Amino acid sequence: MNEKTINQAYETAKERYAALGIDTEKALAAMQDVHLSMHCWQTDDVTGFEDLSGSLSGGIQTTGNYPGRARNIDEVRADILEAMSLIPGRHRLSLHEIYGDFNGKKVDRDQVELKHFQSWIDWGAEHGIMLDFNSTSFSHPKSGNLTLANPDDGIRGFWIEHTKRCRAIAEGIGKAQGDPCIMNLWIHDGSKDITVCRMKYRQLLKESLDEIFSTEYTHMKDCLESKVFGIGLESYTVGSNDFYIAYATRNNKIVTLDTGHFHPTESTADKVSSLLVFSPEVMLHVSRPVRWDSDHVTIMNDETLDLCKEIVRCDALGKVHIGLDFFDASINRIGAYVIGSRATQKCMLQALLEPLGTLRKYESEDRGFERLALLEEAKSLPWNAVWDMFCLRNGVPVGEDYIKYVEDYEKNVLSKR
Ligand code: RNT
Ligand code: ZN
């Protein structure tokens, strides 16, 4: 795309926004500080590097069989770097435990140690990428329907040990990178059919979490992710939204809001302010549910826009960790990252360009018509010219220009796998 055209369009947009009291330079500077936590699992359809030939379980599913999936740690790293080269700004990488560097050895989940992530720490330091972490309760012979809420002491103990070790690893990562490692805990525990023991499993989960969190750490932060239901576990989820909100609030933990984990008409955006009244931080998994928690690639839709606007309206950019969580195996996977990450950023930029001062003035004066009119007009302000400038200044392809880079990578790298 022509640089001169981008500059001209930006200058016009800058003026247009200035008329509304918005400084586009300020918005661009704020965007530079938005660091997405990119999930590693879009590279390989949530497979990981464990030597367990089981398939994806735990109520989640990838669909599609697009060629070029990453098959090992080097391919995952190469794909992530390729995706990051097409996304403006600096971003974090969120690892699941099953992506450890196990060197071809079988390391069961109650045996995992920081050393299995040393090469990731080194790689992160080399490329200036901060790491986040996730314990992995799915796709394991002991996963079943219940892990941390399992009445069987052996199985429950196994997962407690796993999660404790994951926290220790996150602590080690956070210490090494000089920035807290955000650890997300999501378990699929639930029941396919009606259970008459709802209380029992929740009590067990509480006890497991209490034990897991009995060690205090300073270089990692714990997040708890609820879910409405998983495939094959439709009737009951132990770790429901209510459960984790109560647990997190009482125990100073962070709640993770996954945009695919609520009833379809429920607004995830609306939850941000409620949580922030009681909790200093919130973690997000930005996804796109299509009819169910399908984890389609995030796009610039109303849900994502609303979510970003709420973060800005709550003045909470420094309090919200923006993780991504989608896995589409039916299209080019690097392209999926680029689309989803850039879409999230586009939404955030629009949020930062919102004429909030004027909107709030209208609201305080009870001028409902004016507020609605400006909200409508704001939708078609030239934010895209500011977005193009953001890409240009960050040295990444502007607009649809990134498509050909993804295609080239597919031709030169992915198609040879
Ligand atoms: C599943 C949760 C969870 C997973 C990842 C792989 O419904 O969203 O966050 O997607 O941990
Ligand atoms: Zn999630």
Side-chain angles (χ1 to χ4, degrees):
M1 215 160 283
N2 184 310
E3 248 190 66
K4 197 167 147 224
T5 320
I6 298 166
N7 278 311
Q8 278 171 353
Y10 176 70
E11 287 309 319
T12 312
K14 192 176 170 178
E15 251 179 62
R16 178 72 180 92
Y17 275 109
L20 281 161
I22 299 158
D23 183 348
T24 52
E25 285 299 321
K26 261 197 191 152
L28 285 170
M31 280 298 290
Q32 222 63 63
D33 284 334
V34 174
H35 309 292
L36 304 175
S37 179
M38 287 170 58
H39 54 313
C40 71
W41 49 95
Q42 165 69 71
T43 53
D44 72 337
D45 314 336
V46 210
T47 309
F49 313 129
E50 263 182 342
D51 185 23
L52 297 156
S53 45
S55 55
L56 185 59
S57 75
I60 55 175
Q61 209 170 58
T62 52
T63 51
N65 196 18
Y66 198 81
R69 179 176 88 74
R71 296 159 302 177
N72 53 53
I73 209 159
D74 292 333
E75 292 180 352
V76 167
R77 287 175 185 162
D79 290 359
I80 293 289
L81 290 179
E82 177 64 21
M84 283 184 170
S85 76
L86 301 174
I87 300 164
R90 297 218 64 82
H91 303 289
R92 306 171 69 94
L93 181 69
S94 184
L95 293 172
H96 244 285
E97 183 272 347
I98 49 174
Y99 290 78
D101 194 347
F102 303 122
N103 238 320
K105 288 189 205 81
K106 182 173 158 48
V107 178
D108 210 348
R109 301 209 190 153
D110 62 344
Q111 298 299 319
V112 66
E113 291 176 54
L114 180 60
K115 68 176 186 206
H116 300 118
F117 290 86
Q118 190 54 51
S119 75
W120 275 115
I121 295 173
D122 298 341
W123 177 86
E126 186 188 336
H127 298 282
I129 300 170
M130 301 280 185
L131 303 174
D132 292 321
F133 203 63
N134 301 259
S135 50
T136 315
S137 67
F138 50 82
S139 308
H140 185 277
K142 289 196 171 75
S143 290
N145 291 347
L146 295 166
T147 61
L148 290 177
N150 204 309
D152 180 297
D153 282 342
I155 295 180
R156 193 165 76 92
F158 175 87
W159 291 111
I160 291 174
E161 180 62 27
H162 168 71
T163 319
K164 281 184 165 182
R165 284 171 177 257
C166 285
R167 288 185 79 233
I169 292 166
E171 173 71 4
I173 292 174
K175 202 169 173 188
Q177 68 192 11
D179 190 72
C181 174
I182 311 300
M183 179 173 143
N184 190 53
L185 193 159
W186 169 72
I187 55 165
H188 55 274
D189 293 36
S191 170
K192 179 181 169 76
D193 217 327
I194 300 161
T195 167
V196 291
C197 301
R198 285 174 188 263
M199 181 72 166
K200 173 173 155 184
Y201 305 125
R202 291 198 167 122
Q203 193 63 44
L204 282 167
L205 178 55
K206 181 208 173 282
E207 282 164 25
S208 297
L209 294 176
D210 286 349
E211 191 176 333
I212 289 163
F213 296 139
S214 62
T215 312
E216 294 272 349
Y217 288 121
T218 49
H219 301 281
M220 60 86 66
K221 295 182 184 183
D222 295 295
C223 305
L224 298 164
E225 181 182 7
S226 74
K227 171 156 178 161
V228 65
F229 78 93
I231 299 184
L233 302 165
E234 290 86 354
S235 297
Y236 167 73
T237 302
V238 186
S240 62
N241 186 37
D242 316 65
F243 178 92
Y244 283 133
I245 286 184
Y247 191 92
T249 314
R250 180 182 270 194
N251 296 283
N252 295 316
K253 298 296 173 195
I254 300 171
V255 167
T256 298
L257 298 173
D258 183 310
T259 58
H261 288 194
F262 299 95
H263 289 281
T265 59
E266 226 176 320
S267 159
T268 312
D270 180 52
K271 299 175 190 303
V272 174
S273 51
S274 296
L275 287 175
L276 286 176
V277 169
F278 297 98
S279 164
E281 288 165 90
V282 169
M283 169 75 190
L284 297 177
H285 269 186
V286 187
S287 191
R288 176 166 54 113
V290 176
R291 305 194 186 282
W292 67 288
D293 180 28
S294 60
D295 291 290
H296 276 68
V297 179
T298 297
I299 56 172
M300 195 189 84
N301 55 11
D302 285 348
E303 287 75 15
T304 317
L305 275 163
D306 285 347
L307 185 60
C308 292
K309 284 181 189 162
E310 268 312 307
I311 296 171
V312 174
R313 290 173 187 171
C314 293
D315 195 18
L317 263 172
K319 301 175 184 173
V320 179
H321 306 279
I322 310 170
L324 306 179
D325 185 12
F326 48 81
F327 29 99
D328 189 336
S330 75
I331 59 172
N332 180 301
R333 294 169 183 82
I334 285 83
Y337 275 122
V338 182
I339 294 170
S341 307
R342 287 174 69 129
T344 308
Q345 290 178 295
K346 284 181 192 168
C347 291
M348 193 54 86
L349 178 62
Q350 288 177 70
L352 286 162
L353 290 169
E354 192 173 56
L356 197 52
T358 314
L359 287 165
R360 288 207 161 135
K361 183 168 177 291
Y362 287 150
E363 185 159 324
S364 70
E365 292 165 358
D366 223 5
R367 293 159 75 186
F369 151 69
E370 288 85 347
R371 181 187 56 195
L372 189 57
L374 187 54
L375 280 169
E376 275 302 285
E377 287 308 311
K379 289 178 184 170
S380 48
L381 286 173
W383 63 270
N384 58 321
V386 186
W387 167 250
D388 287 351
M389 182 52 82
F390 184 59
C391 292
L392 184 69
R393 287 191 189 167
N394 279 277
V396 301
V398 175
E400 70 278 13
D401 281 0
Y402 73 79
I403 296 174
K404 64 173 178 289
Y405 291 89
V406 175
E407 286 175 339
D408 282 352
Y409 189 72
E410 173 160 314
K411 194 165 137 243
N412 301 329
V413 182
L414 301 181
S415 68
K416 306 208 164 109
R417 288 182 182 164

